[in-house]
Amino acid sequence: MKKVISLILVSCLVLFVFASCGSKGDYQIVIPENATLTEQYAAENLSAIIEDYYGVTLSIVKDSEPEQKSEILIGETSREESKAVKVEGDNYVIKVVGNKLVVKGGNELATYRALEHLYTVLKESKEGKAFAWTDGY
């Protein structure tokens, strides 16, 4: 079942995270303590894209590191917001939970596909294009 996330909410998140953070930002990218090479690569790629598009450098940390108020959670992290999002199989979810953006798939490949979709959305938002966002498919 597809659920549309509010364009306004996502647009505000993108603006808040990437436009007003300065050089270091209040956000960090969080990956699982036992992150796969694919998750690590995807997190590095996301960080590079955000830096390229918005000039904001986000650190990549393991979920054993102290929690920040605002985070981008990749995969099955130990954070409560990540645990609250359920996804199975080849599906993925990109969802705002509180002040955190959860990017998670039912398996490693699905998580990677979710991040590829996020890259596309970030590029389109940078170009000023409107977008609709769904939770997986």
Side-chain angles (χ1 to χ4, degrees):
M1 173 187 268
K2 293 183 180 184
K3 298 178 184 176
V4 176
I5 296 179
S6 166
L7 175 60
I8 295 171
L9 179 60
V10 174
S11 296
C12 289
L13 176 70
V14 169
L15 288 173
F16 174 74
V17 172
F18 308 120
S20 67
C21 287
S23 62
K24 295 220 179 206
D26 296 329
Y27 269 72
Q28 63 184 8
I29 298 171
V30 180
I31 58 176
E33 182 66 34
N34 60 347
T36 65
L37 289 176
T38 302
E39 289 169 325
Q40 291 173 15
Y41 170 78
E44 291 168 7
N45 198 20
L46 177 61
S47 180
I49 287 171
I50 291 170
E51 186 170 2
D52 183 45
Y53 290 171
Y54 301 97
V56 176
T57 303
L58 301 182
S59 59
I60 300 169
V61 301
K62 302 278 184 159
D63 59 8
S64 58
E65 294 292 318
E67 189 169 344
Q68 287 189 4
K69 180 180 176 185
S70 304
E71 298 176 317
I72 300 173
L73 308 176
I74 297 178
E76 185 64 52
T77 72
S78 63
R79 304 290 200 255
E80 291 302 316
E81 295 83 356
S82 182
K83 292 178 183 179
V85 174
K86 305 297 181 201
V87 61
E88 297 178 356
D90 292 335
N91 297 313
Y92 64 80
V93 175
I94 302 172
K95 185 173 187 173
V96 176
V97 181
N99 289 334
K100 300 188 182 189
L101 181 65
V102 178
V103 183
K104 181 176 172 181
N107 57 46
E108 183 179 352
L109 179 58
T111 298
Y112 186 77
R113 285 194 352 260
L115 283 156
E116 285 184 325
H117 183 74
L118 181 58
Y119 306 152
T120 300
V121 170
L122 291 174
K123 181 179 180 185
E124 290 174 354
S125 72
K126 179 68 175 168
E127 294 170 353
K129 296 178 184 175
F131 58 89
W133 206 331
T134 60
D135 286 348
Y137 42 71

